[in-house]
Amino acid sequence: MIKHFFNLEWKQYFRSSYWQKNMAINILLVFFALYFVVMFLSLGFGLLPGLKKFFPDEDPFVFANGFIFFWIMGDLLMRFFMQKLPVMSVKPLLTLPIKRSTVVNFVLGKSVVSFFNFLPLFAIIPFGIMLIFDGYETSMIITWIFTMIILVLIINFFNFIIEAFSADSELSFLPIITVVGVLFALNHFEILSMTTLIGSGLLAIASNPILIIIPIVILAACYAFNFKILKSKLYLDSSLKSKVAEVNAADLSWTKRFGDVAPFMQLDLKLIWRNKRTKSMAFLLLIGVLYGLFFYPNPVYADMVFMFALIGIVSTGFFLINFGQFIPAWDSGYYKLLMSQNIKYEQYLRSKFILMVISVVLLFVLGIPYVYFGYKILIAHFAAAIYNIGVNTHVILWGGSFNRKKIDLDKKAAFNYQGTGAVQWLIGIPLMLVPMALFGLVNWLAGFAAAIALLIVLGVVGIVFHKKLMKGITKKYLDSKYKMIDAFSQDN
């Protein structure tokens, strides 16, 4: 049966529209994976000589174990935002004589072979080999390597437990922030030294192999808990239960001043406010306002003027980036119905454009108090806002024409990466890296004023040629219309 499941997964992946129409992007993702593998291999082979050079008085093995706690925290955060449980299309299987436990075990087993579980091994195993060649006891290092592999799997299944608790929360990132925040606070305020606890524990297991039973028991408990959660939800009628919810009506009459795009704006605003996934985007406005506080109070960034452009782009464009990158996938649930109506596609896209422009203006106004850290910051934010309106809105609308992944708005709230593909990652290059590079280069060659002028000029040019740009973008969407309809009809 497991072999049959693998066969079904293989066919589902290679027969999907996303694979067939994005072969080049899949190849690019392979190169990204190889890049990270090389980076982790370099870390694994270079860590021991690096520790000896910079910390000659410390035992490299003991010193490295002292930082495992911070690696665990970072790995948990990365997995929560990027790794999701590999869900099969199990609904057709529930009508067949297949044990639910078999399906659940396959799904959990499939998560073990995730790239996120293999990547740390490219650093752990080379570091262990280097320690053995350096004279450390072979049996101790091999035990440590196996313990680290078990620890990677514990993080894998613990991440899914956190996701299970966050699935029903409006602010779905709250559980992971709570877990990581509490553990970090315990360590930072020396209430419970997690670095010492985990480091000493790993050293103890390495010295006494019998103690490896402890992490194995923890791994088994995490697996059993995940098994219980998934099995309890694996019923055919669980997807048929009707939800009774009160609809909060809002006065959206103010949108009528925007003319023929008003109905589409009302549709988008209702979609944002009535669904978990999109409602979190509204809360992200607060993060956009406070984004600069992560950098500007730090004296290290005071002289990094080239960073002002990137911070300004992200701060004023936080909603633009998070909402815009999934256009038109937000409407994937009823995209066929929408496309069957007698509407102008340009009006549909222009409503999205106006919403993003309003968010940029609002975030800039709310970020005016950043002038406290220097007038240059406020000027950079203003230039970034103009650039976002004139350039990035058009870039992100153009990038949306390549979206081929359906989004289920009821599945999860903020930071849900369902529907995320290579397009969402690659679009970050023209959105953020290009303006930062241009700003930094001109600032270095001609000064701050010239760099600010460049961003403003590019933004103004985009605003002036808005209608022509929208015509080209609309044509691209119309060319991809039926491809999107086909892709949004699939559960990929």
Side-chain angles (χ1 to χ4, degrees):
M1 185 57 66
I2 297 296
K3 179 183 176 182
H4 188 60
F5 284 160
F6 273 118
N7 187 34
L8 291 175
E9 289 284 306
W10 179 272
K11 291 177 179 177
Q12 179 184 358
Y13 183 73
F14 284 100
R15 290 177 179 178
S16 70
S17 62
Y18 183 74
W19 169 263
Q20 294 172 6
K21 298 170 185 176
N22 293 273
M23 183 66 73
I25 294 177
N26 280 280
I27 294 172
L28 186 60
L29 286 175
V30 171
F31 281 108
F32 273 116
L34 291 174
Y35 168 78
F36 283 110
V37 167
V38 172
M39 292 297 293
F40 272 70
L41 281 172
S42 302
L43 175 65
F45 285 112
L47 185 58
L48 182 60
L51 291 176
K52 285 186 174 182
K53 179 179 179 181
F54 293 104
F55 304 97
D57 300 329
E58 300 282 348
D59 185 328
F61 184 53
V62 175
F63 191 81
N65 278 280
F67 284 89
I68 296 296
F69 166 72
F70 298 105
W71 167 70
I72 292 174
M73 295 296 98
D75 197 18
L76 265 178
L77 285 170
M78 181 188 69
R79 286 173 182 269
F80 182 82
F81 296 141
M82 301 185 68
Q83 181 191 17
K84 300 301 168 188
L85 188 65
V87 181
M88 300 174 63
S89 299
V90 295
K91 193 180 293 185
L93 302 178
L94 297 180
T95 60
L96 301 175
I98 302 174
K99 292 182 179 180
R100 288 186 296 129
S101 58
T102 304
V103 178
V104 174
N105 280 322
F106 177 78
V107 172
L108 292 176
K110 187 181 173 185
S111 72
V112 173
V113 295
S114 167
F115 178 72
F116 291 95
N117 293 330
F118 282 102
L119 190 59
L121 302 185
F122 288 102
I124 292 169
I125 294 176
F127 180 61
I129 293 173
M130 294 293 290
L131 289 171
I132 292 173
F133 283 124
D134 197 56
Y136 285 85
E137 188 177 343
T138 303
S139 60
M140 181 179 71
I141 300 303
I142 291 176
T143 303
W144 178 82
I145 291 175
F146 275 108
T147 306
M148 291 297 296
I149 293 173
I150 295 170
L151 184 59
V152 169
L153 295 178
I154 290 173
I155 296 171
N156 177 72
F157 291 116
F158 187 63
N159 170 54
F160 297 140
I161 294 174
I162 295 175
E163 286 190 6
F165 283 106
S166 56
D168 299 324
S169 172
E170 289 292 338
L171 296 175
S172 62
F173 56 88
L174 192 59
I176 185 66
I177 297 298
T178 302
V179 171
V180 173
V182 168
L183 292 176
F184 185 80
L186 289 174
N187 183 75
H188 181 74
F189 295 107
E190 299 182 352
I191 300 172
L192 178 63
S193 180
M194 299 301 298
T195 53
T196 304
L197 180 65
I198 294 177
S200 301
L202 290 171
L203 291 172
I205 294 172
S207 302
N208 302 280
I210 191 64
L211 295 178
I212 202 173
I213 294 175
I214 297 173
I216 291 175
V217 170
I218 297 174
L219 175 61
C222 290
Y223 185 93
F225 195 81
N226 274 286
F227 183 90
K228 182 181 178 181
I229 292 174
L230 288 178
K231 192 175 181 182
S232 66
K233 296 180 179 179
L234 200 65
Y235 289 96
L236 187 62
D237 59 352
S238 63
S239 62
L240 303 177
K241 293 179 182 178
S242 59
K243 294 182 179 180
V244 179
E246 180 182 353
V247 176
N248 296 319
D251 183 13
L252 300 176
S253 59
W254 59 270
T255 59
K256 293 180 180 178
R257 69 187 63 182
F258 293 101
D260 53 5
V261 302
F264 300 104
M265 290 185 66
Q266 292 176 8
L267 185 67
D268 282 332
L269 291 170
K270 290 175 182 177
L271 179 142
I272 290 172
W273 194 246
R274 292 178 181 178
N275 296 280
K276 285 183 179 180
R277 178 80 180 265
T278 47
K279 190 184 291 186
S280 65
M281 297 298 166
F283 293 111
L284 287 176
L285 285 171
L286 179 62
I287 299 178
V289 173
L290 302 177
Y291 184 76
L293 294 179
F294 293 100
F295 301 94
Y296 296 139
N298 193 335
V300 175
Y301 297 99
D303 298 327
M304 296 184 182
V305 180
F306 69 92
M307 286 289 291
F308 293 174
L310 176 63
I311 299 170
I313 291 288
V314 175
S315 182
T316 60
F318 214 88
F319 178 84
L320 178 154
I321 295 168
N322 287 279
F323 178 77
Q325 66 179 323
F326 294 111
I327 295 172
W330 294 122
D331 306 313
S332 57
Y334 52 89
Y335 191 75
K336 284 193 289 186
L337 173 65
L338 200 62
M339 292 298 103
S340 66
Q341 305 301 307
N342 185 21
I343 61 174
K344 292 183 179 179
Y345 213 119
E346 188 173 354
Q347 294 175 357
Y348 169 77
L349 292 176
R350 195 149 57 89
S351 69
K352 314 283 187 185
F353 174 82
I354 292 172
L355 277 180
M356 291 188 288
V357 169
I358 291 173
S359 72
V360 171
V361 174
L362 180 62
L363 285 171
F364 169 72
V365 172
L366 293 176
I368 288 177
Y370 281 123
V371 71
Y372 172 80
F373 298 103
Y375 73 94
K376 285 187 176 182
I377 291 174
L378 181 61
I379 295 173
H381 276 224
F382 175 75
I386 298 298
Y387 184 89
N388 273 329
I389 293 172
V391 179
N392 279 348
T393 49
H394 299 105
V395 169
I396 209 159
L397 282 175
W398 176 80
S401 64
F402 296 94
N403 281 334
R404 300 289 186 272
K405 287 197 171 185
K406 184 178 180 179
I407 290 180
D408 191 337
L409 298 173
D410 292 327
K411 285 297 182 182
K412 203 167 180 279
F415 298 108
N416 182 352
Y417 278 74
Q418 182 213 12
T420 303
V423 173
Q424 279 70 35
W425 298 107
L426 295 177
I427 201 70
I429 296 174
L431 278 178
M432 292 179 285
L433 297 184
V434 169
M436 185 181 71
L438 290 174
F439 185 88
L441 179 62
V442 176
N443 178 68
W444 179 60
L445 293 174
F448 179 78
I452 290 293
L454 175 65
L455 290 185
I456 294 176
V457 168
L458 290 174
V460 170
V461 169
I463 295 171
V464 170
F465 290 97
H466 167 68
K467 289 187 177 181
K468 290 188 176 180
L469 291 172
M470 286 300 292
K471 284 184 180 179
I473 293 170
T474 302
K475 185 178 183 302
K476 184 70 177 69
Y477 273 86
L478 290 173
D479 291 341
S480 306
K481 177 179 176 179
Y482 295 102
K483 295 178 182 178
M484 289 183 185
I485 290 174
D486 179 50
F488 291 156
S489 300
Q490 300 185 31
D491 295 324
N492 47 8

